[in-house]
Amino acid sequence: MLKVTLVTPAGRGSRAGNRTTATRWARRLRELGCRVRLAGPEEAPTSWRFGSRPPDLLFALHAWRSHAAIRACREAFACPVVVVLTGTDVYRFQHSHPEAFLDSLDAADVLVGLHDCLEEDLPTRFHPRLRIVHQSALPLPPRAPGPKERAFEVLVAGHLREEKDSLRAALAARDLPPTSRLRVVQLGSACSDDWARAARDEMARNPRFRWLGDLPRWRVRRWMARSRLMVISSRMEGGANVVSEACVAGLPVVASDIPGNRGLLGEAYPGYFPVTDTEALRACLLRAEREASFVETLRRHVAARALLFRPEAERDALAGVLAICGL
């Protein structure tokens, strides 16, 4: 049985995207017959051993945050190394901490990206080692509640932080015509006291905005079922799983025009707006509220993308990574 250690910088109990990805991929790798150990940032390389044997393969999520683990594995074991590139890796730490970032990529036998436009921002020498694994999602329960008639609810799902430009939809919902039924519901924990204060201040001044904080997954899925639209306003994304979830749920998306969104929704997707452009986002939201045909067009596009995000497609892509590693 193939023994895999999967390293993630998000610790046990975290709801961060890296931990969610690691937990789901551990499940997929077990479906492929692997024995998987999930290792958080608190664990030392010597604890990665399976009894008296070292791992047969290391999966490391995040080139920069997992750099020490990648380097320790290379020094301690002879196993192949797979490095999974996140949004902050490619769009932040590649430029702010290039030495560690590039050292992790040089150490990798295979690089895994989560969206189809990643090559645009990766040095060309790494392109031959890059493979794309789209993150999967499950359909919503058949009896999930539908949208409410009295409001046009727009969902934003993700932790409040700079990379997500988290309050952009709330800002776009200010000063709308009195006849508008548009409401923005924000889910996710605040990554700092400043973000929590900003969200509370926005609620106090903006009656169209509600921040509900960090909710369990089943409640997030209920909000996806009752919402008319999802906004993904990120400044940078490595391939957000929430996009996969929206597509599989048939939930139309309005998204910032960045590689991480285009690499999941497709270049021809009609629901993009310029990043950080509040006025453009407001125009998209008002159009969605007023034009049922626009929303239906978005729905057809996300439904067409949903096949990319099936669990079996994710499992097959991971099997391909194992094959490249000779395992």
Side-chain angles (χ1 to χ4, degrees):
M1 180 180 290
L2 187 68
K3 295 175 173 60
V4 177
T5 292
L6 208 165
V7 173
T8 171
R12 190 178 293 111
S14 169
R15 289 184 182 171
N18 285 335
R19 190 74 188 192
T20 301
T21 301
T23 301
R24 195 180 61 258
W25 282 10
R27 188 181 312 121
R28 298 285 170 264
L29 290 166
R30 290 178 184 124
E31 291 170 1
L32 291 168
C34 301
R35 183 180 172 192
V36 183
R37 285 197 60 184
L38 205 56
E42 68 281 358
E43 298 182 64
T46 53
S47 72
W48 302 345
R49 295 178 180 274
F50 291 85
S52 60
R53 284 187 54 189
D56 299 312
L57 175 67
L58 176 77
F59 259 87
L61 272 72
H62 209 293
W64 182 72
R65 295 190 192 282
S66 296
H67 175 250
I70 293 163
R71 182 46 53 198
C73 179
R74 270 293 179 229
E75 293 173 358
F77 309 129
C79 66
V81 172
V82 176
V83 174
V84 184
L85 299 170
T86 70
T88 51
D89 265 337
V90 176
Y91 305 113
R92 171 171 292 175
F93 295 117
Q94 176 176 198
H95 308 292
S96 64
H97 296 76
E99 185 174 344
F101 173 83
L102 293 173
D103 188 55
S104 288
L105 270 60
D106 283 325
D109 296 280
V110 180
L111 300 171
V112 170
L114 305 177
H115 71 81
D116 294 334
C117 293
L118 196 64
E119 281 189 351
E120 294 178 12
D121 298 286
L122 203 63
T124 55
R125 74 177 189 272
F126 295 117
H127 291 184
R129 278 186 263 170
L130 179 64
R131 297 296 180 272
I132 302 301
V133 178
H134 295 118
Q135 300 192 80
S136 69
L138 297 175
L140 296 176
R143 295 185 180 180
K148 296 186 178 300
E149 288 299 322
R150 65 179 180 272
F152 190 94
E153 290 178 320
V154 173
L155 181 64
V156 183
H159 300 307
L160 277 67
R161 56 193 180 109
E162 180 186 358
E163 293 87 353
K164 303 289 186 184
D165 194 21
S166 296
L167 295 179
R168 189 62 52 188
L171 297 176
R174 290 182 183 178
D175 304 321
L176 294 177
T179 54
S180 174
R181 298 176 297 130
L182 201 143
R183 303 289 185 272
V184 173
V185 176
Q186 177 100 40
L187 309 182
S189 61
C191 292
S192 69
D193 291 341
D194 287 344
W195 273 108
R197 187 162 44 251
R200 287 192 294 266
D201 289 347
E202 185 63 27
M203 279 195 293
R205 66 162 294 174
N206 186 350
R208 297 182 183 274
F209 174 66
R210 293 172 65 196
W211 173 45
L212 301 183
D214 195 16
L215 300 183
R217 180 172 173 76
W218 69 269
R219 290 190 64 190
V220 175
R221 286 166 64 80
R222 284 178 68 90
W223 273 106
M224 291 181 70
R226 67 177 278 179
S227 298
R228 308 292 186 107
L229 198 71
M230 176 178 280
V231 170
I232 300 166
S233 55
S234 304
R235 300 169 187 265
M236 62 180 73
E237 282 289 358
N241 194 206
V242 71
V243 177
S244 312
E245 292 175 337
C247 290
V248 172
L251 178 60
V253 172
V254 170
S256 52
D257 188 1
I258 58 172
N261 288 332
R262 286 188 282 106
L264 294 179
L265 293 167
E267 296 288 351
Y269 187 70
Y272 296 125
F273 67 94
V275 65
T276 72
D277 190 331
T278 304
E279 293 299 324
L281 176 55
R282 181 182 290 118
C284 278
L285 296 180
L286 284 172
R287 183 184 179 193
E289 183 184 9
R290 293 167 177 170
E291 298 180 24
S293 60
F294 177 53
V295 175
E296 187 56 34
T297 297
L298 298 180
R299 193 187 312 280
R300 286 198 302 271
H301 274 79
V302 299
R305 303 294 289 182
L307 289 176
L308 295 174
F309 309 123
R310 294 170 297 140
E312 53 268 35
E314 184 179 44
R315 184 179 62 239
D316 290 347
L318 289 171
V321 171
L322 298 183
I324 293 169
C325 293
L327 300 171

